[in-house]
Each structure stands twice: as structure tokens, then as C-alpha cells.
Amino acid sequence: MTQTNVSTRAAIAAKHWEGQDVTELLARSAAVLPAISATEAGTQGRSIVFSRTEHASPINLGGGIPDPDSLPVAGLQAAINKVFETTSEPALRYGGIFGFEDLRAVVAERQGRIQGIKLSYENFLMTHGGSGGIDAVCDTFLNPGDVCIVERPHFSGSLRTIRGHLCEVVEVELGEDELFAERVEETLQRMEAEGKHAKLLYTVPDHHNPSGATMSLAVREKLVEVCARHRVFIMEDMAYTELYFDAPPPPSLYAVADGHGVIQVGSFSKIIATGLRVGWIQARLPVIESVGRVRFDMGGSPLLHRALTLYVGSGDLEPHVDMLRGIYRRKCDALVSTLREHCEPYLRFEEPAGGFFLWAECIGATAQDVAEAGAEEGLTFAAGSNFYKDREAADTSHVRLALSYASLTELEDVGPRFLRAFQRVVD
Ligand SMILES: Cc1ncc(COP(=O)(O)O)c(C=O)c1O
């Protein structure tokens, strides 16, 4: 094509398109979601509004990002090199919608061992992280207008996905653990009295994001029973399950139900690296096959799947996860003790038993004011309102502090900085 042709066509295209507001053309599923700036989203993701800070030595308690020094770079590099040396051609070709079969088998063996159940590769479909799994489950089972139950508070990323599927979201208070399943049942009964049926319940039972809470076995058993009786699918998000500090959490909802009515979503993000973008759906065969029907993206990366098969299959992941548990336990201890020492009158919280988050209630000031004053002190963290459907209308007092990314030395300085932030805003 000549240069003149290009510029003529470009001029025609510009004449018709210039000035068109693309947001007027959005699908309904995109239009219900808040706008996002591609330049500002950066590398942290998009779901959390971080307080911006100009501080010379900022401390990042914002996102659920793994400890940067723990990333197993050498192990992953060796595995990728080995793939190139041995099976480069299939690794660089499409790999199919379910993912590399050997990786599915390795994950099945590992999850079977961790959860104490029998699983085969057929129970797994590999996805782009846990969030890709959540999206694929929603694509497969949710119609616009379907009702989904979520915990209150809940992980904001999953809420975006569910809302993006034009579903009605009903929140059930997480609150005190013992009565959670009863609250779910009351909600279902109330809805059914109005002629409504919930299709799906989304839960993070272990080291919850944002609350840090872990569901007891009794509640798991009751929840499985309630959801089965009302025929509500459970989507069980296992993002933080393996990252307990001392003892593993109780058996998964999937194990309690032997997989009946439970779709589990897992990920290598928090136990290896978020940049891999490799996760999975674990479910009974008909569910996995149904998810396969609606997968349009040609599957995940065969190169990464093969490398992960070598890395995870070699057993190297087990000591790595053990090491992570120690790192996060020490980080949690450091954060808890600095907050107790410096902020006792201003912050109320329970210590998590694992995972990345400490959920704290601010006393005498709103979370938003504390977040803004915290930014002046170089602290970046999320106000709790991010984790509710109705945002500020629902919660103005909590903050979520991620303990995973900051160094131990930085964490030790969080208490004094928080204290100064509170002193700026408490009268
Ligand atoms: C509870 C929960 N689920 C899922 C995800 C998504 O993680 P990924 O898609 O990286 O596996 C996150 C990330 O923060 C999370 O906190």
C-alpha cells in the first residue's frame, strides 16, 4: 500500500471515529464496572485504590503480593531452560483448553495429598491465575440477573468478575464465624420467599481476603449442607490455603462435600509468583467439561505449564512453601507487635493464622482519614470500604494491611508511622 493510500484511509477512519466516546459503545457487562486508567493501573492490579505517597521511604501494605526476595527465580529458570533443551517445539505450540496434561496430573497429586482426597488430572482445568478460574466459572454458569452470594466483606477482584457477569450480588455478613452458615440459610430462605434462587456462593474459607479469618470445620460442614439443600453451587477460592503459619486450616469445602456442588479455584500466584498467571479449577468431571465448552482463549501457556510441571513435580515447591510459611509468620509477628506497642488505643484487630492480611478497625478516626494521613507517613494500604458492594456506605472504620510484601525492617516501622498518622487525625 502506498503512503498516500494509508494517509487517505487514515483520514477517512479519523473523520468517522474521531470524537466518538468509546465508553458509549461499551457492552452492558463493561459499563457496570468502574473506569480504570491504563497508565495508572501499573503493576499492582486494579482492584484496590492505593493511597498515593510522595514519601522518601514508602512502605507498601497495599496489595497481596508475595515477598519479593522469596521468588524462586533459579528454580523456575532451570525448569524453563530444561523445557527449551528437551521439548521446545510442543512448548511453543498451542496447548489445548484444559492445559498441559502432565501439569494437571502434578497438581492433582499435590492437591489430593494436601486435601486428603482422591483426584485425577481430569478434575483440573488450568487457568490464568485464580482470577481466570473465577472468570471461567462465572462464564460457564452465570446468566445476567442470576443471584450470587458473597461474604461481607469480600475480595474486591472477584466481586468485579461477578458484577461483570451482570449478576445480582447479595452479601452475607462474615461476622462471628459460628453462625455464618445460619446467616446464609436465612438469606436463602428470605430470597426464596420472594421467589428468588441463588445460583452460586463465593467464599474464601482460608485466611480470608480481606478479613484474615479462617472458617471452622463445623461451619464448613453446615455450609455444604445448606448450599446442597438449596442447590447453590459453592465456588471455593483457595488462594491462601497453603500459607498457614502453624497448623493447616480445616478440610476444604470440596473435601467435606466430596466435590458435590463445590467448584474449587486454586493458584500458584501466592505460593510461587503472581507473574506466572497460572491457576486452576478443581471440580468433578462434568463441571470441568462444562468449563471447557466455553473457553475461547486457546488455553494457557504450554511453555509455562511444562516448566511448572518440572518445578512442582521435582518436589522443590514443598520446601519453598515451608519457607514462605516461616517468612509470613515472622512478618505477621513483626506487624502485630509494632501495632500493639504503638497503636493500642487506635487499632483493634485479631491476629490472622495465615495468609497475607491483617484487618483492623480504626478507633476515633475514619479509615479514609487514616489512609490519607498514613500516605503522608509513607504508608500505603487499602481502606476497608474497597471490600464491600456499597463501599463507604458499608464500612468507614476498617483498614486492610498486607503483611506479605514489605520487609521485616519496614514492618517494624509501621507502628510508629501509624501512630503519627492517627495523631494527625484524632482530635
Ligand atoms: C482471594 C483471592 N482470590 C484470587 C486472587 C487472584 O489471584 P491470581 O489470579 O493471581 O491467582 C487473589 C489475589 O489477590 C485473592 O486475594
Side-chain angles (χ1 to χ4, degrees):
M1 219 188 273
T2 65
Q3 192 56 42
T4 328
N5 270 344
V6 172
S7 52
T8 311
R9 297 282 137 67
I12 294 169
K15 179 172 149 235
H16 291 280
W17 281 107
E18 240 169 30
Q20 164 75 53
D21 179 359
V22 178
T23 59
E24 286 172 4
L25 305 177
L26 286 178
R28 268 201 300 144
S29 52
V32 293
L33 299 171
I36 169 161
S37 151
T39 37
E40 279 176 23
T43 55
Q44 296 273 29
R46 58 188 173 190
S47 53
I48 306 304
V49 180
F50 291 94
S51 5
R52 310 261 169 235
T53 174
E54 302 298 320
H55 201 275
S57 50
I59 300 179
N60 185 349
L61 310 171
I65 318 280
D67 177 89
D69 298 328
S70 72
L71 297 171
V73 177
L76 291 173
Q77 192 165 22
I80 290 177
N81 288 344
K82 187 122 188 239
V83 173
F84 274 123
E85 283 158 21
T86 53
T87 53
S88 56
E89 197 280 328
L92 294 175
R93 200 194 317 137
Y94 288 126
I97 52 176
F98 292 95
F100 182 43
E101 200 169 298
D102 290 5
L103 180 59
R104 293 162 69 205
V106 163
V107 174
E109 186 283 320
R110 200 167 175 271
Q111 287 303 316
R113 182 162 29 88
I114 291 170
Q115 298 182 47
I117 49 180
K118 202 165 157 21
L119 295 165
S120 102
Y121 76 96
E122 291 180 310
N123 299 116
F124 289 84
L125 178 141
M126 305 310 296
T127 59
H128 300 295
S131 41
I134 292 164
D135 194 26
V137 170
C138 292
D139 281 347
T140 310
F141 292 105
L142 298 180
N143 288 312
D146 277 349
V147 180
C148 289
I149 301 212
V150 299
E151 292 144 334
R152 177 189 155 94
H154 49 251
F155 169 48
S156 46
S158 303
L159 190 80
R160 276 181 64 85
T161 310
I162 293 169
R163 284 185 57 205
H165 285 77
L166 299 176
C167 291
E168 183 183 334
V169 175
V170 173
E171 295 173 317
V172 174
E173 195 70 40
L174 206 47
E176 292 299 311
D177 178 58
E178 305 93 75
L179 295 178
F180 178 68
E182 274 80 357
R183 283 193 291 276
V184 169
E185 178 143 52
E186 279 161 23
T187 306
L188 292 172
Q189 283 165 346
R190 208 175 325 118
M191 283 172 35
E192 279 159 9
E194 294 164 11
K196 274 194 200 164
H197 172 74
K199 185 81 161 279
L200 187 97
L201 175 139
Y202 168 71
T203 176
V204 184
D206 306 320
H207 319 308
H208 186 260
N209 178 6
S211 77
T214 292
M215 195 184 279
S216 66
L217 178 57
V219 173
R220 288 169 203 244
E221 289 173 342
K222 181 91 209 241
L223 191 61
V224 162
E225 192 195 311
V226 165
C227 289
R229 269 198 277 107
H230 292 264
R231 295 188 76 74
V232 180
F233 261 133
I234 296 176
M235 176 155 56
E236 178 179 32
D237 184 339
M238 307 282 278
Y240 302 97
T241 303
E242 292 188 45
L243 296 174
Y244 51 86
F245 300 152
D246 295 313
S252 65
L253 293 159
Y254 190 100
V256 169
D258 192 22
H260 295 285
V262 181
I263 306 172
Q264 205 177 77
V265 175
S267 178
F268 287 126
S269 278
K270 313 296 175 170
I271 55 172
I272 304 182
T274 54
L276 291 172
R277 309 310 307 129
V278 179
W280 58 87
I281 296 170
Q282 172 190 312
R284 285 184 158 252
L285 193 53
V287 170
I288 293 293
E289 286 175 345
S290 302
V291 177
R293 282 162 82 119
V294 297
R295 181 156 201 179
F296 300 121
D297 69 356
M298 311 294 276
S301 155
L303 172 62
L304 278 180
H305 285 191
R306 282 169 186 267
L308 281 169
T309 306
L310 295 176
Y311 177 69
V312 180
S314 70
D316 284 357
L317 182 56
E318 311 318 318
H320 179 70
V321 175
D322 248 350
M323 179 191 73
L324 292 181
R325 290 183 190 119
I327 290 175
Y328 297 131
R329 184 196 303 114
R330 285 191 292 282
K331 286 191 171 192
C332 185
D333 288 348
L335 181 61
V336 165
S337 69
T338 186
L339 292 177
R340 290 243 156 93
E341 184 182 343
H342 299 279
C343 305
E344 196 76 82
Y346 300 123
L347 275 181
R348 198 158 37 213
F349 58 86
E350 280 184 23
E351 273 183 60
F356 283 4
F357 306 110
L358 189 141
W359 179 243
E361 187 183 356
C362 302
I363 316 289
T366 66
Q368 197 54 43
D369 286 349
V370 177
E372 277 161 32
E376 302 286 317
E377 299 294 337
L379 293 177
T380 300
F381 55 88
S385 54
N386 285 291
F387 308 98
Y388 296 84
K389 186 171 77 165
D390 299 328
R391 301 180 64 90
E392 279 79 12
D395 185 328
T396 51
S397 65
H398 285 90
V399 291
R400 189 197 70 173
L401 310 181
L403 57 91
S404 50
Y405 185 79
S407 69
L408 267 180
T409 320
E410 287 173 335
L411 287 168
E412 283 158 10
D413 198 30
V414 168
R417 292 194 193 200
F418 246 109
L419 177 63
R420 291 197 293 274
F422 271 107
Q423 285 166 342
R424 284 172 187 263
V425 289
V426 173
D427 23 65

